[in-house]
Amino acid sequence: PRASRGMIDLLFRGRRVVFDSPHGVTEAQARLAREVAVPEWTMRRDQRTQLFVGTVADGRFEVVRLVRGRNSFRPMLAGQLSPSAGGSRIEVRLRMAPAVLVLLVFLLCVGGLVASVAASDLLARNEAVTATLVVLAVPAVALAVLGLAASEARRATRLLAGVFEAEPS
């Protein structure tokens, strides 16, 4: 239950993570800015060494983890830096991109339709076990995609923890 709730929060309201960094706001923003590359559209293999792609300005940031290759299930990270007694407080919201959510819903609908047609055909041939497996394949694939998104969220959170030298709360 806890793991699935951790996956589903990325889809809807987003996962909230807070870092209490020992660095002041200016230093924390500078550290993050060094690790954020400017978004660019290119056909060549990405050779950038930064950890993220996005924007950092005025105590706010919107970034996505930089991946060499394709991975559509990377969560977007939007955050704000504010001063605190011991340095700075960074509040981050991790959320899946709306386009990814639309794609997931579309694929689930198509997968459900195909599974129901296949199951109907299998049931007509008295293959109930196979029909059950076909129907269960759709939610299994959905859970695998959610697991991938949750894994990407954990990876992005670990990278931010390294940048800010702080553990997430």
Side-chain angles (χ1 to χ4, degrees), residues 120-142:
S120 174
D121 184 51
L122 289 167
L123 286 173
R125 293 188 277 154
N126 289 329
E127 297 183 33
V129 172
T130 307
T132 303
L133 292 175
V134 166
V135 170
L136 291 177
V138 173
V141 169

Side-chain angles (χ1 to χ4, degrees), residues 4 28 32 34 39 46 57 65 76 90 96 113 118 131 136 144 160-161:
S4 63
L32 180 60
R34 282 192 294 271
D46 201 341
R65 190 172 76 85
M76 300 182 320
I90 301 100
M96 297 305 296
L113 181 62
L136 291 177
L160 278 178

Side-chain angles (χ1 to χ4, degrees), residues 92-115:
V92 182
R93 177 77 61 187
L94 291 87
R95 183 177 295 173
M96 297 305 296
V100 172
L101 297 178
V102 169
L103 177 66
L104 286 176
V105 168
F106 175 75
L107 291 177
L108 280 174
C109 290
V110 169
L113 181 62
V114 169

Side-chain angles (χ1 to χ4, degrees), residues 16 72 83 99:
R16 183 175 177 265
S72 300

Side-chain angles (χ1 to χ4, degrees), residues 24-41:
V25 172
T26 306
E27 175 62 20
Q29 182 170 320
R31 292 173 67 86
L32 180 60
R34 282 192 294 271
E35 295 299 338
V36 176
V38 175
E40 67 179 43
W41 178 257

